[in-house]
Every structure is written in C-alpha cells, then in structure tokens.
Amino acid sequence: MKYKNIVFIAKSIDGFIAGKNGELDWLHSIPNPEGNDMGYLSLMEEIDAIIMGRTTYEMVLGFDGSWPYIKHVFVLSNALKEIPEALNGKVTILKGAEAEILKAVHELGYYKLYIDGGRVVQDFLKADLIDELRITTMPILLGGGFPLFSELPTSSEFAHIKTEVFLGQAVQSHYAKKK
Amino acid sequence: MKYKNIVFIAKSIDGFIAGKNGELDWLHSIPNPEGNDMGYLSLMEEIDAIIMGRTTYEMVLGFDGSWPYIKHVFVLSNALKEIPEALNGKVTILKGAEAEILKAVHELGYYKLYIDGGRVVQDFLKADLIDELRITTMPILLGGGFPLFSELPTSSEFAHIKTEVFLGQAVQSHYAKKK
C-alpha cells in the first residue's frame, strides 16, 4: 500500500491516553531497564512523516533535550503561526479538514504517515482515514481522563494482524482496516 | 486466594460491550467452525457462582433452549420478585450494595465469583471489588454503545497475567489487581 495512515498509541485498560489531570506517568510505570522501545523505532523507519495536533507538538517542544523526530512533522493548528527557527525544515504547520491535509501532505511526497495526538486521532477516525491501529494497553485502570476513542458515525471492521506483549505487561495489538 | 471476583467479558477495540442499538452480533463475527469457547468453560469450572444484573439475566432467559449455566446464578435486582419455577435452586434474586451482596454470597459458600453484565461490572469496579479482569477484544470499532468501563473514583493498578489470541482475531488479556 503506497498510502497508509497509522495510529501508534498507548492507552490504559479502560481506554484513556491521559489521566484526569493530564497524567502520563503511568506510561512509564513498567520497569524497562533495557529501554525496550515497543515498536516505536520500527514505526519511525517505516513512515515518511508524522501528523500531530498542537497539544502534542507543544508538549514535545516542552521536553528537555533536542527535537526527537527523525521524520518531518506536520502540526495541525489554526492558531499556530510560526515555529522556532531551529525547527525550520523539520516542522510544517497545516490547517484544514483531514482529507485536505492528507492531500497536501501526499503532494509533498509523504505517503506513510504516523497520526498522533488524542484529538487528531479521533478526527481521522471520524473521517474514516485510519488504515492501521497499533495500540499498546498498559495494565492500569485510570478511571477517567482523555479517551483514545470518541463516538464514530458508523462502526468499522478491522483485521487483527498481531499481538505482542512487551516487558511482560504492555499488550500491543496491530489492526488493519478491512477494505 | 479463597475469595475472587472475576470479570470475563468481550469488548470492541473502542471499549463497548454492546452497540448503539444493543447490537451483539459483532461478538460472533469471527469464523469459529470448531466452536472455540475462548476460555469460557475453563472459567465455569473455576468459579462457584455467577453474579449478574437483571438485564443480562432477562436476555439469557429470552434465549432459545434450556438454562445455560452449570453454576448458581445470583441476579441483582430491586424490581424482580420471582423466578420461573424451572429455575428454583438455580437462581437467587439479591439486592443491596455490592459489599453486602458479596457477604451474603460468601455466607452461602460461594467464594469464586464470575461478575457479569455491563452495569454490575461497572458497579463492582467502582466499589473496588474486582480481583481479575479477563477481557477479550474483538477487531471492530463500534463507534458507540454501552461502554465496558465507566468513571472510577481512583485509578487502580493491575498486573498482566497472560494474553492469548483466539481464532487469530480475538485478543484476550488476563489481569490481576495489584494488592
């Protein structure tokens, strides 16, 4: 498949990607002495670019250290006007409907895309534009927070591709949308 | 462990146990020519009794064929007053708070319990009375319906016990509550 939109994200057993107060610490609660990346680097090699929302972008900007992405990042935002000089050529701000955004990104030569960020994933799912789900379930009930999934206009069948358990605790399942 | 409350339930990728109009057909959408029971019979052997809500009870009563349970069933309901004569000695109606219900059931000599039904599972989780989760994820986004999980007063850590993929498509993970 030339074009592919992939979601790669971690959730709690009860389907939250962040806790009631935005907590993300539970994502790192499993002892991981050898720094198992749970498929992240392999995804990075596989994709051409990343599409994320402003919240995710600003969270990553706020991290200590250098810009972590080796692939081009498209930030979806109506409000953002400019990016730090150091990110010139690495980050592009886009706005518009999901289908328009994809068209623009494809025309720039980026075909395999990692779709990231809570709202952006929900919007792409609503627009029926997700081809692959790679979901890692962490062994916790958060009890509330920001949900991975939201209401969809219709149901949507997927095929289970594979499931792998990382560090004995994190269950990652890959699904491909049935065409 | 002498006492144990186990949830054994199937959900969609997006966490629903029934569709927007109560649909359950998606639970049987995976070809299953040899009738793989996905751990159900082994659970039935393991438990002493089943606790379910009135909705689940009445749904099962409405099925064609004979009463399917080989273990005693406790139905939680304020409204139900009597049971069909044929179910005498097989079904008991109980009401009250979850902890009281457990006390009553334990006093009758039933210790290992299968907690079933959407609302009952949510109520037992809210009361922090679930020891094990055995959740089977079917490869579909329902997009809406009755959610498996609801808001909880606090987060709750579990340990991943095992994950098994049935029929190549249904991913079943077992979790035990951390004490």
Side-chain angles (χ1 to χ4, degrees), chain A residues 13-14 20 125 135 137 139-144 149 151-153 155-160 163 165 168-169 171 173 175, chain B residues 13-14 20 125 135 137 139-144 149 151-153 155-160 163 165 168-169 171 173 175:
Chain A
I13 297 173
D14 48 350
K20 285 174 189 172
L125 281 169
I135 301 173
T137 301
I140 187 169
L141 293 177
L142 283 178
F149 295 103
E151 201 86 3
L152 298 175
S155 68
S156 185
E157 288 186 15
F158 282 74
H160 173 261
T163 289
V165 180
Q169 293 296 319
V171 181
S173 291
Y175 296 98
Chain B
I13 297 173
D14 47 350
K20 286 174 188 171
L125 281 168
I135 300 173
T137 301
I140 187 168
L141 293 177
L142 284 178
F149 296 103
E151 201 84 3
L152 298 175
S155 68
S156 184
E157 288 186 14
F158 282 75
H160 173 260
T163 288
V165 180
Q169 294 296 319
V171 181
S173 292
Y175 296 98

Side-chain angles (χ1 to χ4, degrees), chain B residues 60-178:
Chain B
V60 174
L61 267 190
F63 291 160
D64 288 340
S66 57
W67 184 244
Y69 297 108
I70 56 170
K71 296 294 170 83
H72 199 86
V73 171
F74 294 93
V75 180
L76 307 193
S77 174
N78 290 313
L80 267 187
K81 298 297 173 207
E82 51 187 28
I83 51 164
E85 210 174 288
L87 296 181
N88 268 336
K90 296 179 179 171
V91 173
T92 305
I93 301 166
L94 289 178
K95 59 183 171 183
E98 292 68 36
E100 297 172 296
I101 284 162
L102 277 184
K103 190 159 177 284
V105 169
H106 291 162
E107 282 172 358
L108 290 168
Y110 303 103
Y111 307 127
K112 293 197 165 49
L113 305 170
Y114 167 24
I115 311 297
D116 196 23
R119 181 106 356 121
V120 172
V121 168
Q122 290 184 356
D123 288 345
F124 272 73
L125 281 168
K126 275 180 193 153
D128 196 18
L129 291 171
I130 295 299
D131 303 294
E132 264 193 43
L133 293 168
R134 303 183 185 180
I135 300 173
T136 306
T137 301
M138 308 300 278
I140 187 168
L141 293 177
L142 284 178
F146 194 93
L148 170 53
F149 296 103
S150 62
E151 201 84 3
L152 298 175
T154 57
S155 68
S156 184
E157 288 186 14
F158 282 75
H160 173 260
I161 305 301
K162 67 171 178 176
T163 288
E164 199 169 345
V165 180
F166 294 105
L167 306 162
Q169 294 296 319
V171 181
Q172 185 178 103
S173 292
H174 292 210
Y175 296 98
K177 185 162 163 64
K178 283 196 183 174

